[in-house]
Amino acid sequence: MHQSILITGANGQLGTVLTESLQLKYGVENVIASDLREKASYTGIFEYLDVTDSDRLEEVILKYNVKEIYHLAAILSANGERNPLNTWEINMRALLNVLEASRKNNVEKVFHPSSIAVFGESAPPINTPNNSLLDPLTSYGLSKAAGENWGKYYFYKYGLDVRSLRYPGLIGYQSRPGGGTTDYAVEIYHKAVAGESFTCFLDRETTLPMMYIDDAVRATLELMEAPRENIKVRTSYNIAGISFSPAQVAASIKEKYPDFEIEYAPDHRQEIADQWPKSIQDLEAMRDWSWKPQFNLPKITEVMIDNLEREHEHFI
Ligand code: NAD
Ligand code: SER
């Protein structure tokens, strides 16, 4: 029987880009995008699916004979702090539903993202190692840290091939971010291309690990394609891209737009950013499945501005 890949949370910042890459790789007819929001820009098969509804999830898995799941649906860090218990409830319920439905319905592989948000005050902030102690101080980070261990549990207890990456803040022109602490690094480019100044909700020197979205998608595909026996880390892999501060992105944008102006008005998200690493060490990902990023800050700025300018011209 025909086999399919299911994506949850497919209409978010990452999902819209990952869905198209999976369609390109495996065929549009083999990829089932799902979300509880309306269908995004991609074409292909779409199912309305709230992942906290386990019956509906199983229905979709059986309908399409799903063998692989990319479980992206989650509430992100900044939005998550508005209602911490609700964030925990949704993120954990959704992940446990995916793991349990996969086990019961012969799904073979599950990908679920973790985040740099799993780290807290105990982890070394520079070149944070993969196996650092996880003591996050956001509800989002708590749910990701617990989720990593649940993924490992399903692998050892049931043999379900669960794989995960700790993404840094993701930057892309294709989609807008959904309520995270690193969102400023996308919005700043939109403002610059629109000829507007930008008020940054993080302070000028707040350095965080970041990654261009194409690198993140490629990392995801490479991790999922690696032979099962190569995957030695069954919690989640650190992956590093680059690290920069708002002042450094602004300087990079000013090379193209010398009149671009930025001011700083740190809000509640500053407290979250201050808990996270400034840079990430990813030796395990390099060792196990040959991870290597391709985009540095000048290259990200060039691609973001070129593509957003093209979109901008299209709309005026
Ligand atoms: P996003 O907020 O842009 O998208 C999440 C999507 O999930 C949304 O379309 C939303 O409608 C959907 N969703 C929420 N609750 C749902 C539910 N109960 N059922 C079905 N769909 C639901 O997030 P994103 O940036 O695309 O992130 C995708 C994944 O990657 C998340 O797990 C996130 O934690 C992780 N991640 C993202 C980043 C980043 O910088 N974007 C960094 C680290 C980890
Ligand atoms: N970029 C994400 C956030 O800020 C990190 O997981 O929430």
Side-chain angles (χ1 to χ4, degrees):
M1 191 188 163
H2 186 84
Q3 301 187 351
S4 305
I5 294 170
L6 172 66
I7 308 171
T8 74
N11 294 355
Q13 186 195 8
L14 176 62
T16 49
V17 185
L18 182 63
T19 298
E20 287 187 340
S21 297
L22 288 169
Q23 289 174 335
L24 205 63
K25 192 168 173 59
Y26 297 106
V28 176
E29 68 284 7
N30 299 318
V31 176
I32 319 303
S34 73
D35 204 293
L36 46 65
R37 284 195 293 172
E38 253 178 54
K39 188 174 172 176
S41 52
Y42 53 80
T43 52
I45 307 166
F46 178 79
E47 287 280 343
Y48 176 89
L49 170 61
D50 179 342
V51 201
T52 61
D53 180 347
S54 56
D55 291 342
R56 172 75 183 130
L57 173 62
E58 289 200 40
E59 187 184 307
V60 173
I61 289 174
L62 292 173
K63 177 176 173 187
Y64 294 99
N65 192 26
V66 170
K67 291 292 167 204
E68 211 166 294
I69 300 182
Y70 291 75
H71 171 51
L72 307 185
I75 310 292
L76 272 72
S77 61
N79 277 355
E81 287 310 284
R82 290 196 198 134
N83 191 340
L85 295 184
N86 189 51
T87 300
W88 169 266
E89 189 60 41
I90 291 176
N91 289 358
M92 293 315 300
R93 177 50 48 215
L95 175 65
L96 291 174
N97 281 352
V98 167
L99 293 173
E100 191 58 7
S102 298
R103 175 184 80 77
K104 281 163 55 187
N105 296 287
N106 305 315
V107 174
E108 289 159 7
K109 261 190 201 175
V110 174
F111 172 79
H112 68 109
S114 185
S115 160
I116 52 167
V118 293
F119 298 113
E121 59 189 7
S122 300
I126 310 281
N127 285 333
T128 309
N130 214 106
N131 64 355
S132 303
L133 183 68
L134 307 185
D135 55 357
L137 285 171
T138 57
S139 174
Y140 172 73
L142 287 165
S143 70
K144 290 293 183 186
E148 288 186 4
N149 282 309
W150 273 107
K152 183 175 176 179
Y153 177 85
Y154 269 74
F155 172 71
Y156 282 103
K157 190 164 177 79
Y158 302 115
L160 180 62
D161 193 349
V162 186
R163 305 182 183 197
S164 176
L165 297 174
R166 290 174 181 151
Y167 293 129
L170 303 182
I171 303 162
Y173 65 89
Q174 303 94 324
S175 50
R176 300 296 269 257
T181 304
T182 56
D183 293 9
Y184 89 85
V186 177
E187 298 304 337
I188 192 171
Y189 287 106
H190 284 267
K191 289 288 187 187
V193 170
E196 295 173 25
S197 62
F198 180 62
T199 303
C200 186
F201 60 76
L202 297 183
D203 220 342
R204 52 180 302 123
E205 302 302 344
T206 310
T207 299
L208 288 170
M210 298 281 184
M211 180 173 285
Y212 187 58
I213 204 154
D214 288 10
D215 268 345
V217 166
R218 187 173 49 80
T220 309
L221 299 181
E222 287 175 3
L223 172 78
M224 289 299 271
E225 281 161 13
R228 185 179 168 112
E229 61 276 12
N230 286 25
I231 307 302
K232 308 287 185 218
V233 177
R234 285 291 174 175
T235 47
S236 192
Y237 281 98
N238 280 6
I239 46 166
I242 41 157
S243 285
F244 58 71
S245 65
Q248 286 171 311
V249 200
S252 157
I253 290 174
K254 271 172 184 278
E255 286 185 20
K256 181 76 197 271
Y257 295 112
D259 296 335
F260 176 65
E261 285 178 11
I262 181 167
E263 55 185 51
Y264 300 91
D267 65 15
H268 60 282
R269 289 167 278 196
Q270 183 67 44
E271 200 184 326
I272 301 176
D274 288 342
Q275 302 160 12
W276 290 356
K278 297 185 190 317
S279 59
I280 290 290
Q281 189 193 82
D282 56 4
L283 295 175
E284 287 79 354
M286 291 195 275
R287 177 197 68 197
D288 292 353
W289 45 278
S290 309
W291 162 243
K292 199 168 183 290
Q294 290 175 352
F295 285 81
N296 58 19
L297 182 55
K299 206 165 158 191
I300 292 175
T301 298
E302 187 188 325
V303 180
M304 289 295 286
I305 290 180
D306 281 356
N307 283 284
L308 291 177
E309 278 181 348
R310 216 165 291 141
E311 266 177 36
H312 203 68
E313 280 160 18
H314 185 73
F315 283 110
I316 52 176

